[in-house]
Amino acid sequence: MTDDEELCAADLIGRRLLRVPTAWHHYPGVEPSLLHLWLDLEGLGPVRFHTPGTGLSLRIDQPHQPYSMDEYGSVTVVEASPDVPVTRFVGQPIRSVRDIRYRDARVDFTAGVTLQFPAGSIRLLALDDDLVLAHERDLGPVESHLHEDVNLARVVQTSGCFPSQWDAWTTSGQYLYLRYRHGEGSVEQHPSEDPDTWYGAGSRLWTRWDDGSDGGRVELADFLTLAGLRLASGAEVSSG
């Protein structure tokens, strides 16, 4: 991939985090604010998380040099930012990238992503043209407008072992294909359970991990925990 190339979420899955450069906007008399964040990923390079307006943009982009902005302050670049929460995951692969939508009476857009690592997860959000990192903290009133499609209303097991796999539907109606084979778990989004629909724009990888066991059987509860999914209240679970 080349510099300034826009990425989709699935491009990040499985990539190991190497370092976290950041750019900070300095205004006179106020605390510096986070302007840009890069995740330097193995085999991919630095990915810039940017807020161009509404939503979040992901692009291959080298960290910029520090620059001044006259009366608007200045920008400094920190090559490694130990105080930024996502740096606790340096050395770990990204297991999952899930969209976070912002919905209210006026708008509905993708406001950010949840990045899941083996040791935990973090939300990266674009709110009011600011890049917000939410690590194990509540964002107050805005939380009621943030929605992540992780609650399953219906799960049908289609294979009990070698591989373990399920058809699943979220509470919003999104179909997911869950599979565990040779120690590798994956979650794929598709338009429907019909494989003939799996090759268009409505399909993408949500989650992938390898536990190193080469196993082929896993319990649904353990799979959902590893995948960052959960059963909704009253969810229907059955065998196909």
Side-chain angles (χ1 to χ4, degrees), residues 171-207:
T171 51
S172 71
Q174 175 61 58
Y175 168 75
L176 301 176
Y177 173 54
L178 317 181
R179 192 169 193 254
Y180 179 80
R181 183 173 184 264
H182 294 314
E184 183 178 282
S186 62
V187 178
E188 299 174 11
Q189 166 191 310
H190 297 293
S192 76
E193 66 273 30
D194 181 357
D196 289 340
T197 69
W198 292 9
Y199 302 100
S203 296
R204 77 170 181 88
L205 179 67
W206 271 28
T207 306

Side-chain angles (χ1 to χ4, degrees), residues 47-169:
V47 177
R48 178 168 61 104
F49 287 71
H50 175 54
T51 59
T54 299
L56 191 65
S57 170
L58 281 64
R59 291 184 178 274
I60 299 291
D61 179 44
Q62 294 294 327
H64 306 303
Q65 294 300 314
Y67 55 92
S68 62
M69 300 181 68
D70 300 323
E71 69 270 23
Y72 298 107
S74 63
V75 172
T76 59
V77 175
V78 180
E79 288 297 318
S81 306
D83 295 332
V84 175
V86 71
T87 58
R88 67 188 289 258
F89 304 119
V90 167
Q92 299 182 29
I94 295 176
R95 174 178 287 172
S96 177
V97 183
R98 298 187 299 272
D99 289 341
I100 302 171
R101 299 199 65 81
Y102 181 97
R103 296 180 186 137
D104 62 20
R106 298 176 294 106
V107 296
D108 183 346
F109 64 93
T110 301
V113 294
T114 292
L115 302 179
Q116 184 180 353
F117 296 85
S121 62
I122 189 166
R123 295 180 296 170
L124 280 72
L125 297 156
L127 300 173
D128 294 329
D129 205 26
D130 289 329
L131 182 60
V132 177
L133 279 67
H135 172 59
E136 297 179 351
R137 69 185 178 98
D138 190 286
L139 297 177
V142 73
E143 287 287 355
S144 64
H145 300 296
L146 299 178
H147 303 274
E148 193 175 340
D149 205 11
V150 296
N151 297 308
L152 303 182
R154 182 182 174 217
V155 181
V156 178
Q157 187 168 36
T158 56
S159 176
C161 60
F162 307 107
S164 294
Q165 60 187 33
W166 299 264
D167 290 330
W169 291 262

